[in-house]
Amino acid sequence: MPDNKLKSIFKINAEEVLSKGLEAMTKSCEALTKQNDILNKDIENLKKKIDMLQHRLLSNAEERE
């Protein structure tokens, strides 16, 4: 199939394809960055919760002695 026919079917040039691809990748990267920030905050909260539960466990063990 000649290149001319492809252009007439899709009516889009390589620059537009690349531009749209770059936009999509930028949005994906921003979404992943946001998700990563949320997960990092979750990790920090879970670490704090682990510390609190370990402290509570040690306190309960000392009370039983």
Side-chain angles (χ1 to χ4, degrees):
M1 188 178 250
D3 193 35
N4 293 346
K5 250 188 179 180
L6 282 176
K7 284 186 180 179
S8 66
I9 291 172
F10 297 109
K11 295 186 181 179
I12 189 168
N13 63 25
E15 188 176 324
E16 289 178 62
V17 171
L18 292 172
S19 177
K20 289 182 180 186
L22 184 58
E23 279 181 42
M25 291 183 73
T26 300
K27 288 178 183 178
S28 296
C29 184
E30 289 171 354
L32 288 171
T33 300
K34 184 177 179 180
Q35 184 179 25
N36 192 33
D37 289 340
I38 291 168
L39 290 172
N40 282 332
K41 288 176 185 175
D42 287 348
I43 288 170
E44 288 304 314
N45 289 335
L46 288 170
K47 285 179 181 179
K48 290 175 186 176
K49 189 171 186 175
I50 288 170
D51 288 341
M52 187 254 321
L53 290 172
Q54 284 177 335
H55 178 73
R56 186 187 302 174
L57 183 64
L58 291 173
S59 294
N60 288 343
E62 289 175 359
E63 287 176 7
R64 289 184 187 162
E65 291 178 357

